[in-house]
Amino acid sequence: MEQTRGRFTGPPLTPRTAVIWSVLRAELDRRGDEELTVLDVGGGTGGFAVPLAQAGHRVTVVDASPDALAALTRRAADAGAGDRVHAVQGDGDALAGLVEPASVDLVLCHAVLEVVDDPAPVVASLAAALRPGGAASVLVAGRAAAVLGRAMNGHLTAAATLAADPCGSTGPRDTLRRRYDADTAAALLRAAGLAVEEIHGVRVLADLLPAAVADGQPAALLELERALAAQPPYRDLAAQLHLFARRPATPPDRPVRPRA
Ligand SMILES: C[S@@+](CC[C@H](N)C(=O)[O-])C[C@H]1O[C@@H](n2cnc3c(N)ncnc32)[C@H](O)[C@@H]1O
């Protein structure tokens, strides 16, 4: 793994991570040699946080789970990046008490908005933590893939419920509270004042293919995932949607009040 800032290559790529890393790498390249302040909300055991710290950035992971944070701390130490990873137990919708407002260059929130009680305050918290011009990497569960997945496995009632439910959930026994389409996910970020720059599908095909194909042709699968990731309708059928958004560098124009 490359450790020099500005020439970040990232960890080995898989269908779960390749598209996200390529978007993040473009942002890191854009920032050149700067040491970035990164915040990973619900960062879990550090699958993204630790490589970013290895690349020389300062990463704070806020997560509700002490067990995940303990695993993160071990992983960061094993990777030789323990001094650049700060683990904080806390809630994603109460970042103001944990992270200085407008202090973060890059915020990650991956696979979290579908499990929290209410996603809007979490996204508002992410946006408030970003400096003007800072970027957000948000990964959410896709609704269409879940509908197709249920149907293909013969669970037609669950598929119909999931398709019709306003939140994209099958109900209280569903492991996720909600799922998103590209439009609903983008609207959530825009409501918090973020400008959505890119939307990609993650795992368009990976979960649909027989294991023999996925395991037998990993390089071809990776290439096809990358080729389809940004293209509707393929993008919209992905198991997860990745949104890359930015806090505008200047606040939107205030309406000019006519003189009395
Ligand atoms: C599915 S895991 C995703 C972990 C990591 N972001 C990834 O993509 O591999 C969800 C994580 O969010 C954390 N989490 C759930 N609700 C949270 C909340 N309200 N505030 C902070 N973290 C939360 C969980 O403890 C867990 O580590």
Side-chain angles (χ1 to χ4, degrees):
M1 150 123 208
E2 183 63 67
Q3 304 212 1
T4 307
R5 266 202 306 276
R7 291 192 296 119
F8 176 66
T9 55
L13 300 179
T14 70
R16 286 184 176 272
T17 61
V19 169
I20 303 170
W21 277 120
S22 75
V23 173
L24 293 180
R25 194 179 307 112
E27 177 68 4
L28 298 179
D29 288 349
R30 199 181 72 79
R31 302 293 297 251
D33 273 343
E34 281 180 73
E35 179 189 85
L36 301 186
T37 301
V38 181
L39 172 65
D40 191 349
V41 177
T45 59
F48 281 83
V50 170
L52 288 168
Q54 284 182 289
H57 304 290
R58 280 176 289 111
V59 187
T60 297
V61 176
V62 174
D63 198 288
S65 160
D67 289 346
L69 293 173
L72 159 75
T73 303
R74 281 195 300 276
R75 187 177 192 168
D78 290 348
D83 58 338
R84 287 191 295 283
V85 174
H86 182 39
V88 179
Q89 192 186 353
D91 204 300
D93 64 9
L95 294 175
L98 306 170
V99 180
E100 184 79 14
S103 66
V104 172
D105 298 301
L106 174 64
V107 67
L108 275 55
C109 185
H110 291 174
V112 175
L113 297 178
E114 51 271 63
V115 297
V116 294
D117 292 341
D118 185 357
V122 177
V123 177
S125 253
L126 306 178
L130 283 173
R131 294 183 209 283
S137 166
V138 176
L139 183 68
V140 295
R143 179 206 290 253
V147 172
L148 295 184
R150 298 291 191 291
M152 286 166 68
N153 285 316
H155 304 299
L156 299 186
T157 306
T161 304
L162 223 155
D165 182 71
C167 295
S169 163
T170 56
R173 296 181 64 192
D174 197 330
T175 51
L176 301 184
R177 285 168 176 253
R178 63 192 71 81
R179 295 176 178 79
Y180 293 88
D181 308 312
D183 289 348
T184 55
L188 180 67
L189 302 196
R190 288 190 188 114
L194 298 172
V196 176
E197 295 185 348
E198 295 177 67
I199 304 179
H200 288 95
V202 173
R203 289 155 51 210
V204 174
L205 294 172
D207 298 4
L208 300 175
L209 300 180
V213 177
D215 297 345
Q217 305 178 57
L221 174 57
L222 208 54
E223 197 178 324
L224 190 52
E225 288 280 353
R226 293 170 88 144
L228 300 180
Q231 284 184 48
Y234 312 110
R235 175 195 80 179
D236 300 326
L237 298 175
Q240 293 171 298
L241 297 167
H242 180 249
L243 290 89
F244 189 74
R246 199 173 295 282
R247 180 172 173 176
T250 50
D253 289 341
R254 291 219 189 110
V256 180
R257 254 198 250 151
R259 286 191 183 175

